[in-house]
Amino acid sequence: MHPYRHFFRTLLVRLFFLCLLPAPYLQAQAGGAHQFEPGEAGVKQMLEFVLEADKKELVELTRSLQPDKADYAAVFVPPYDKKVWRFHRRLRRYADIIVHPILRGQTDYVMWRATTDELQAYTGEARNFPGGYREMAAHLQPDLTFYRFKFIEPGHKLGSAYDALVYVNGHWRIFHRPWSVLLE
């Protein structure tokens, strides 16, 4: 096999799994959690932090974003909350995903926000979320705001994408690709 073909195949496989896998399997540690204010300003603070943080800080931040069962129940209606929780639990056995720019040149970010209602109607910035959100939006609790973001190279549109950040139960949590449950 040609060396470039092996490189690109390996890169594609890694990117495929990054698109499917949730936040890290490591449990959040009390006291080591980073606190960012609620709302868009807090997301911007977090993303700026990620762009400047070292690996240890990124691991700590990602751990602090790990949802618990109460967070799943606050974001998803039953029984979808348990399905997403089980799905993430299974996937965490196989991956240790850290929220960070995948490529060195990704020194900028773009961000979108959508409310539960916008995701259900697929209007506004909800159109920048993966199409799976349109399919699973009926399973979301009302009155929440979801954030999707990408780390990009300046001037580019493609990048390392993450979704969805939600401020729930007094803290930020990431529910990585919850629409994947619909594919099972």
Side-chain angles (χ1 to χ4, degrees):
M1 179 181 295
H2 196 275
Y4 291 114
R5 186 175 288 169
H6 182 286
F7 170 78
F8 285 112
R9 180 179 289 164
T10 303
L11 179 64
L12 286 173
V13 167
R14 288 180 181 175
L15 289 174
F16 172 78
F17 281 109
L18 286 172
C19 290
L20 293 177
L21 297 173
Y25 67 92
L26 301 169
Q27 295 295 323
Q29 295 179 350
H34 296 272
Q35 296 296 321
F36 298 98
E37 64 185 80
E40 192 169 321
V43 176
K44 288 179 180 179
Q45 290 171 344
M46 186 185 310
L47 297 178
E48 292 293 333
F49 173 83
V50 169
L51 290 174
E52 300 296 324
D54 63 28
K55 184 171 181 172
K56 181 180 177 186
E57 292 171 319
L58 293 171
V59 169
E60 288 176 11
L61 171 66
T62 307
R63 285 178 184 169
S64 75
L65 296 175
Q66 179 65 44
D68 59 27
K69 279 189 173 185
D71 298 324
Y72 284 95
V75 173
F76 305 102
V77 297
Y80 200 77
D81 61 332
K82 290 178 180 59
K83 289 180 183 181
V84 176
W85 179 80
R86 283 192 303 268
F87 176 72
H88 282 175
R89 192 180 68 182
R90 278 195 320 267
L91 289 175
R92 283 190 297 271
R93 291 182 194 150
Y94 301 107
D96 185 13
I97 303 299
I98 306 300
V99 174
H100 72 291
I102 304 285
L103 303 175
R104 280 195 188 114
Q106 294 174 336
T107 58
D108 204 358
Y109 65 86
V110 291
M111 170 182 77
W112 302 274
R113 65 175 284 289
T115 63
T116 302
D117 290 341
E118 289 170 329
L119 287 168
Q120 289 172 346
Y122 213 60
T123 59
E125 292 184 15
R127 293 176 185 230
N128 293 304
F129 281 66
Y133 280 93
R134 185 177 194 177
E135 303 296 321
M136 56 81 56
H139 303 287
L140 297 173
Q141 296 286 2
D143 303 322
L144 295 172
T145 301
F146 299 82
Y147 294 89
R148 178 175 195 252
F149 57 94
K150 286 183 189 179
F151 296 107
I152 59 170
E153 293 180 42
H156 289 80
K157 293 182 180 181
L158 299 177
S160 308
Y162 297 89
D163 59 89
L165 270 175
V166 182
Y167 193 82
V168 64
N169 294 333
H171 45 239
W172 284 104
R173 294 297 188 239
I174 192 163
F175 297 89
H176 199 67
R177 310 205 186 285
W179 47 266
S180 298
V181 171
L182 297 174
L183 303 174
E184 290 186 317

